[in-house]
Amino acid sequence: MSKKSNEILVAVAGQPNSGKSTIFNCLTGARQFVANYPGITVEKKTGIYYYKGDKVVLVDLPGTYSLTSYSLEERVARDFLLHENPALILDIVDASNLERNLYLTFQLLEMDIPLVIALNMKDVAQRRGLQIDTDKLSRQLGTAVVPTIANKGKGKEELRQAIWETYKNRNSNYIPFCINYGKTLEPILTSLKKQLSENQNLSKSYSTRWLAVKLLGNDSEAQKLV
Amino acid sequence: MTLDELEPGQECYVVKVNIGGVIGQRLLDMGFIPKTRIKVIRNAPLVDPVDLLIKGYHLSMRHSEAKGVEVTLL
């Protein structure tokens, strides 16, 4: 294996205030540095750490509520996921605000990139009387779910382990989660997906189902891709 | 009726979001979908913004934006 194949590019995504940067700092420690990408006013931070001999490169994306193309932050986050080929996404979910946060999680799952979920602020959720069945969540979404309390450094090693394992198993057991859009929309999506699959350039670079969903939503950036 | 007409303490269900564009999309992203329950908590001293409880979290918004949300009283 070449040296490059051991570099794991991980995109850190999540809604605003879910603790993305706290987890980012927690995982990368003192080695963290800040990088400005030209042409974009929204900053992406890059940091590295080593785990079991592999170099893990984390990119802290701007916080977004969803991944449409309405705001600059959303476009920055989405363009990175679409064009920079991250090996996996680390999705930071605020456990005390699970329902709203899962909305973004589903959009990320739809992009067909392996996902690891950090269920952050577990202590806050517990204080509010919420008990979350992480095993069940993990089974239903088909992803690793790691409870964390990032500001206290809890769950750090488990998260590193989960990222590493998801990366190692990326080709074997990854079954993308699929949202069923119901009787009205599914036939349209299927036929759209079929048409998109005929274009090899498109189907090589993007999830055709994801593109079909976005086109159906009249998404301007997705329209530019086709 | 629309969300801006509610008094603090009143609760409602979302019927429809009548604004489009960036704000409309953001509202949908944040959980303003039909049948979602909303409670009006309080108004700021000078009326705007209004503090709402939706899906277990607090959200502040302008009355002009709340006007775009069609609701039915609980």
Side-chain angles (χ1 to χ4, degrees):
Chain A
M1 291 259 263
S2 68
K3 229 181 169 182
K4 195 135 198 254
S5 66
N6 284 337
E7 200 175 288
I8 311 171
L9 182 61
V10 178
V12 185
Q15 291 199 342
N17 278 319
S18 57
K20 279 178 307 305
S21 299
T22 316
I23 289 209
F24 175 87
N25 287 336
C26 168
L27 286 175
T28 57
R31 260 178 269 196
Q32 185 255 102
F33 62 95
V34 179
N36 260 318
Y37 285 66
I40 298 162
T41 54
V42 184
E43 222 170 42
K44 282 180 290 193
K45 264 187 285 173
T46 305
I48 53 166
Y49 69 88
Y50 291 88
Y51 190 81
K52 294 190 177 169
D54 287 332
K55 183 182 180 184
V56 182
V57 180
L58 286 184
V59 177
D60 194 9
L61 299 177
T64 58
Y65 290 104
S66 76
L67 285 177
T68 55
S69 41
Y70 276 102
S71 73
L72 183 61
E73 290 83 5
E74 290 178 6
R75 280 201 298 273
V76 169
R78 203 167 100 167
D79 285 349
F80 184 86
L81 297 174
L82 278 180
H83 306 301
E84 308 288 328
N85 293 319
L88 57 100
I89 303 171
L90 174 60
D91 176 24
I92 317 298
V93 168
D94 174 359
S96 68
N97 204 340
L98 192 60
E99 192 179 349
R100 194 189 74 196
N101 274 254
L102 283 179
Y103 179 63
L104 178 69
T105 302
F106 285 122
Q107 297 207 3
L108 294 171
L109 281 166
E110 247 172 8
M111 294 185 84
D112 221 353
I113 302 167
L115 201 72
V116 172
I117 293 172
L119 199 57
N120 199 24
M121 302 195 234
K122 228 191 154 229
D123 51 339
V124 180
Q126 263 161 359
R127 241 177 282 140
R128 290 194 195 159
L130 296 169
Q131 282 291 345
I132 298 164
D133 186 341
T134 46
D135 290 334
K136 192 172 179 186
L137 193 62
S138 166
R139 269 198 312 277
Q140 294 206 327
L141 298 176
T143 66
V145 177
V146 182
T148 58
I149 307 171
N151 61 358
K152 298 197 182 98
K154 284 191 183 156
K156 182 165 111 180
E157 279 315 306
E158 292 86 342
L159 202 53
R160 284 179 167 173
Q161 175 72 20
I163 290 169
W164 192 76
E165 273 175 11
T166 303
Y167 176 73
K168 292 293 170 192
N169 297 329
R170 66 196 183 282
N171 295 322
S172 54
N173 63 357
Y174 181 65
I175 306 153
F177 176 86
C178 196
I179 294 171
N180 190 321
Y181 285 92
K183 268 182 271 175
T184 321
L185 294 180
E186 279 300 332
I188 304 170
L189 284 172
T190 309
S191 92
L192 207 54
K193 186 181 147 121
K194 194 165 163 265
Q195 282 179 46
L196 291 166
S197 302
E198 281 162 18
N199 183 330
Q200 292 208 339
N201 280 339
L202 274 179
S203 55
K204 241 194 301 179
S205 319
Y206 310 107
S207 153
T208 45
R209 171 147 177 116
W210 175 83
L211 256 184
V213 170
K214 286 293 162 191
L215 287 173
L216 208 58
N218 217 4
D219 187 288
S220 58
E221 295 289 314
Q223 281 168 359
K224 274 185 222 158
L225 293 174
V226 293
Chain B
M1 68 188 301
T2 50
L3 185 56
D4 61 305
E5 296 170 55
L6 268 70
E7 298 293 328
Q10 284 188 303
E11 288 186 70
C12 63
Y13 284 113
V14 175
V15 175
K16 203 176 157 208
V17 174
N18 285 324
I19 11 174
V22 182
I23 293 169
Q25 179 65 46
R26 176 61 56 87
L27 292 179
L28 292 174
D29 293 344
M30 299 190 85
F32 283 77
I33 46 173
K35 298 190 186 130
T36 301
R37 196 168 160 168
I38 299 175
K39 185 175 186 183
V40 176
I41 305 297
R42 66 198 144 189
N43 286 316
L46 295 169
V47 183
D48 250 344
V50 53
D51 177 22
L52 310 165
L53 192 64
I54 175 171
K55 289 189 187 288
Y57 73 94
H58 283 264
L59 179 71
S60 285
M61 67 194 294
R62 299 180 186 91
H63 278 83
S64 61
E65 291 154 357
K67 204 175 175 53
V69 183
E70 202 176 309
V71 297
T72 169
L73 270 184
L74 197 70

